[in-house]
Amino acid sequence: RKEVEQDPGPFNVPEGATVAFNCTYSNSASQSFFWYRQDCRKEPKLLMSVYSSGNEDGRFTAQLNRASQYISLLIRDSKLSDSATYLCVVNDPIGGGSYIPTFGRGTSLIVHP
Amino acid sequence: SQTIHQWPATLVQPVGSPLSLECTVEGTSNPNLYWYRQAAGRGLQLLFYSVGIGQISSEVPQNLSASRPQDRQFILSSKKLLLSDSGFYLCAWCRGLDTDIFHGYTFGSGTRLTVV
């Protein structure tokens, strides 16, 4: 069974801190990768895609390491509003040009004043 | 722009009653569609996915079924609900075949089902 593993946390950090999450995946054929954010009792929302070259969006940086089969998310200058659960998502090919996503169970982040 | 609608938002149903949850997507054609369940404090479990009308794949054996009667409509059903069917049900879509696999998935707002 394909697996996507995340440390559930919670990561409890002060405002302004830098925090990093890792996510490992077991399927070497996985094609694309994402980080989602899920607020309490809400649906997950796409935070950012993860590219081999790494990508940055403001305070957020995502990295992919295919050799070691993990992706990471770095959040700089944490805000109270960053408190949420962060889900790692791995896209696996199922043939015929289609993919299905496998979600990690999420890492909980709590940013306190 | 594309939008996804899911209803109802909350539902309380007695054990043994039937279930029908509906999801529709607007602004696109031939999307890939997915049903997920998230139990309290747990991760997202893929229940069903569909790459086209009438094409349904099930990921886990369960008390539920899915149907796709139209291109942009995905329905989750049960003939008799169990207590263990309680959870947060999420519909999601992404672009279909021959498209950018880096597009990501967009979720509906979810249905919180409580079986009593």
Side-chain angles (χ1 to χ4, degrees), chain A residues 36 38 41 91 96 98-99 101, chain B residues 34 36 38 97 101 105 112:
Chain A
Y36 275 71
Q38 186 173 23
R41 301 179 69 83
N91 226 9
S98 282
Y99 299 81
Chain B
Y34 307 83
Y36 284 87
Q38 190 174 38
L97 298 176
I101 63 171
Y105 301 84
R112 199 160 298 278

Side-chain angles (χ1 to χ4, degrees), chain A residues 1 31-32 34 36 38 41-44 46 49-51 87 89 91 94 96-101 103-105, chain B residues 32 34 36 38 41-44 46 49 51 59 88 90 96-98 101-110 112:
Chain A
R1 178 87 181 125
Q31 292 287 323
S32 53
F34 310 92
Y36 275 71
Q38 186 173 23
R41 301 179 69 83
K42 298 286 188 180
E43 75 274 21
L46 180 64
S49 302
V50 188
Y51 303 117
L87 304 171
V89 184
N91 226 9
I94 55 172
S98 282
Y99 299 81
I100 59 170
F103 284 76
R105 296 182 69 169
Chain B
N32 286 357
Y34 307 83
Y36 284 87
Q38 190 174 38
R42 302 188 66 178
L44 283 162
L46 179 62
Y49 66 91
V51 299
E59 279 292 288
F88 190 38
L90 290 155
L97 298 176
D98 303 322
I101 63 171
F102 294 100
H103 173 68
Y105 301 84
T106 302
F107 285 85
S109 54
R112 199 160 298 278

Side-chain angles (χ1 to χ4, degrees), chain B residues 9-53:
Chain B
T10 58
L11 197 57
V12 180
Q13 291 283 95
V15 168
S17 64
L19 173 74
S20 181
L21 303 181
E22 190 163 341
C23 172
T24 59
V25 180
E26 296 177 359
T28 188
S29 60
N30 196 30
N32 286 357
L33 297 169
Y34 307 83
W35 276 112
Y36 284 87
R37 175 171 58 204
Q38 190 174 38
R42 302 188 66 178
L44 283 162
Q45 180 187 33
L46 179 62
L47 302 175
F48 301 95
Y49 66 91
S50 172
V51 299
I53 296 174

Side-chain angles (χ1 to χ4, degrees), chain B residues 63-93:
Chain B
N63 183 42
L64 302 166
S65 62
S67 62
R68 186 169 176 175
Q70 300 179 46
D71 181 43
R72 290 167 290 176
Q73 183 185 30
F74 204 23
I75 298 172
L76 183 69
S77 304
S78 173
K79 291 182 179 178
K80 288 186 177 181
L81 283 169
L82 306 172
L83 286 174
S84 57
D85 291 325
S86 294
F88 190 38
Y89 287 82
L90 290 155
C91 178
W93 79 275

Side-chain angles (χ1 to χ4, degrees), chain A residues 18-85:
Chain A
T18 296
V19 62
F21 310 136
N22 280 340
C23 167
T24 59
Y25 61 95
S26 63
N27 185 6
S28 59
S30 297
Q31 292 287 323
S32 53
F33 309 86
F34 310 92
W35 282 104
Y36 275 71
R37 169 190 170 131
Q38 186 173 23
D39 293 292
C40 187
R41 301 179 69 83
K42 298 286 188 180
E43 75 274 21
K45 293 187 177 178
L46 180 64
L47 180 64
M48 59 198 305
S49 302
V50 188
Y51 303 117
S52 296
S53 56
N55 48 304
E56 188 174 310
D57 183 3
R59 298 182 292 109
F60 298 84
T61 300
Q63 293 276 356
L64 166 64
N65 186 317
R66 283 194 182 272
S68 301
Q69 293 184 200
Y70 76 85
I71 68 172
S72 64
L73 178 67
L74 181 78
I75 305 176
R76 291 181 297 277
D77 188 23
S78 299
K79 311 292 184 191
L80 295 176
S81 57
D82 293 334
S83 299
T85 297

Side-chain angles (χ1 to χ4, degrees), chain A residues 101-113:
Chain A
T102 301
F103 284 76
R105 296 182 69 169
T107 298
S108 177
L109 172 65
I110 301 170
V111 182
H112 58 82

